[in-house]
Amino acid sequence: MSDIFNFCAGPAMLPTEVMQQAQAEFINWQGLGCSVMEISHRSKEFIALAEQSEQDLRDLLNVPKDYAVLFAHGGGRGQFSAVPQNLAHADQSAAYLINGSWSEGAHKEGSKYLNAQVIGRSVIEQGLALVPEINAAEIDQSLAYYHYCPNETVEGMEINWLPDSGNVPLVADMSSCILSKEIDVSKFGVIYAGAQKNIGPSGLSVVLVRNELLDQARNTTPSFMHYKTMANFQSMYNTPPTYAWYLAGLVFKWLKAKGGVAAIEKINNQKAAHLYDCIDGSDFFLNHVHADYRSRMNVVFHLADPTLDALFLSEAEKAGLRALKGHRIVGGMRASIYNAMPLEGVKVLTEFMREFARSHG
Ligand SMILES: *Cc1c(COP(=O)(O)O)cnc(C)c1O
């Protein structure tokens, strides 16, 4: 183990134990004399892995029986186009809540495939970003779906309430918050997540679909992203990203061994509280998200004196704290503290921040 803590927003760090296990069995998986990435996805060994990982994910999120669990190609953005094509025809309408870059991207992509309305937007009140609550009365009940992003990775904004979309299926891009806290899957029509934040390597995405929504796809939906086809083929209509899937399976096992989502949620809350306390405890650091909407996965902060940004980043790097630079459209700093980041890493970061503020304040 190195003493580097990696705060990259994505692809993000994976649990050290998982990386060690993957390394140990890299060229000889389950005594087969070859890597898991060198065997057929139709072999009994891989099918067992696929079934086990699906079961583990179902256990972790308490996925109800009437939901399909899909392991898809194409990451988060792949679902930006899969969702409209699977849930609606071209003459239908859907609506999007926009509170940051990713929901904006989802809306833009959705507009290619249907009439994509915007219902709900983040606002700035007294210098702090927040999202006015949505209720069903605002949402035309004939819409195909209502899409939102509960954790905006770039802006560091998390929505902790469920938009009330009435009978319109709720679709959530949980790329950067899935498995970080307990959720009630039954409230959603579709949940999807690119894997590279809380699940595994990039390229893979996990999609949960309520079975009754499997039959709404338009005819032109590409077969490899067609939910019903994928479900019928156990996500193996074409060759799945097998190595990414294997690592996702190891991450699910790791999380189960840690006590599951409820247990990691407690640690995540501690990590976030620690970091926001440090930011709020000093005039040196600023955060512009309303307290009720601060992300527990992506903590965005600015130095009050931005001329110190470059120095902060280079000193941080020297202290073994990597990838703290904020997204270019927001600037400042961002510490992504997904499930794999230990509390220890956050403690080292906050000590560094206090020390930096002392010596440069
Ligand atoms: C990272 C991210 C995506 C994009 O994922 P890709 O795999 O790059 O397509 C989409 N939505 C959210 C919320 C993300 O954090």
Side-chain angles (χ1 to χ4, degrees), residues 139-158:
I139 296 182
D140 174 356
Q141 293 297 299
S142 70
L143 293 176
Y145 59 86
Y146 186 68
H147 179 285
Y148 84 120
C149 178
N151 186 68
E152 279 286 4
T153 322
V154 171
E155 288 77 8
M157 176 186 257
E158 181 175 335

Side-chain angles (χ1 to χ4, degrees), residues 69-341:
V69 173
L70 309 175
F71 289 81
H73 290 273
R77 277 190 195 270
Q79 294 304 310
F80 290 2
S81 34
V83 164
Q85 295 184 82
N86 274 287
L87 297 190
H89 290 232
D91 59 358
Q92 283 184 280
S93 301
Y96 288 73
L97 168 69
I98 299 190
N99 62 313
S101 318
W102 289 115
S103 47
E104 191 165 355
H107 171 255
K108 193 165 171 223
E109 187 68 12
S111 310
K112 292 184 180 175
Y113 298 102
L114 42 61
N115 171 28
Q117 307 172 1
V118 176
I119 302 179
R121 260 189 207 280
S122 54
V123 295
I124 310 279
E125 274 178 17
Q126 292 162 353
L128 299 175
L130 58 90
V131 185
E133 283 204 31
I134 307 298
N135 66 62
E138 302 171 60
I139 296 182
D140 174 356
Q141 293 297 299
S142 70
L143 293 176
Y145 59 86
Y146 186 68
H147 179 285
Y148 84 120
C149 178
N151 186 68
E152 279 286 4
T153 322
V154 171
E155 288 77 8
M157 176 186 257
E158 181 175 335
I159 300 176
N160 269 316
W161 39 264
L162 277 181
D164 176 7
S165 58
N167 291 321
V168 174
L170 196 55
V171 176
D173 173 2
M174 295 200 184
S175 295
S176 53
C177 59
I178 194 162
L179 295 170
S180 71
K181 61 176 181 185
E182 291 194 288
I183 53 168
D184 179 355
V185 173
S186 72
K187 299 280 195 268
F188 298 86
V190 175
I191 292 172
Y192 65 87
Q196 69 271 32
K197 280 84 183 214
N198 251 342
I199 293 178
S202 58
L204 175 72
S205 56
V206 163
V207 189
L208 313 179
V209 189
R210 196 189 297 140
N211 284 342
E212 66 185 29
L213 295 174
L214 288 173
D215 259 332
Q216 324 253 331
R218 62 187 73 185
N219 294 333
T220 52
T221 307
S223 305
F224 87 100
M225 55 167 70
H226 187 283
Y227 292 160
K228 180 84 179 287
T229 303
M230 291 185 65
N232 287 346
F233 283 81
Q234 286 80 42
S235 302
M236 297 194 198
Y237 168 74
N238 65 330
T239 313
T242 51
Y243 197 72
W245 193 337
Y246 150 81
L247 279 167
L250 294 188
V251 170
F252 299 154
K253 284 259 177 276
W254 170 85
L255 188 48
K256 275 187 142 178
K258 289 217 116 184
V261 176
I264 205 88
E265 179 173 5
K266 284 206 186 92
I267 302 173
N268 287 335
N269 286 341
Q270 282 176 353
K271 290 186 302 192
H274 215 72
L275 197 38
Y276 285 114
D277 282 351
C278 172
I279 293 165
D280 293 340
S282 158
D283 295 338
F284 201 86
F285 303 109
L286 308 167
N287 168 277
H288 300 303
V289 181
H290 188 286
D292 295 345
Y293 291 87
R294 285 173 159 185
S295 170
R296 283 171 291 178
M297 294 283 104
N298 311 97
V299 178
V300 169
F301 59 96
H302 288 77
L303 305 193
D305 175 3
T307 63
L308 291 172
D309 282 5
L311 184 65
F312 180 89
L313 288 167
S314 69
E315 303 257 299
E317 194 89 28
K318 276 186 225 148
L321 303 164
R322 34 177 336 270
L324 285 166
K325 193 173 166 57
H327 191 278
R328 65 195 137 72
I329 65 173
V330 175
M333 312 299 154
R334 172 174 53 174
S336 294
I337 50 174
Y338 302 115
N339 287 353
M341 174 60 67

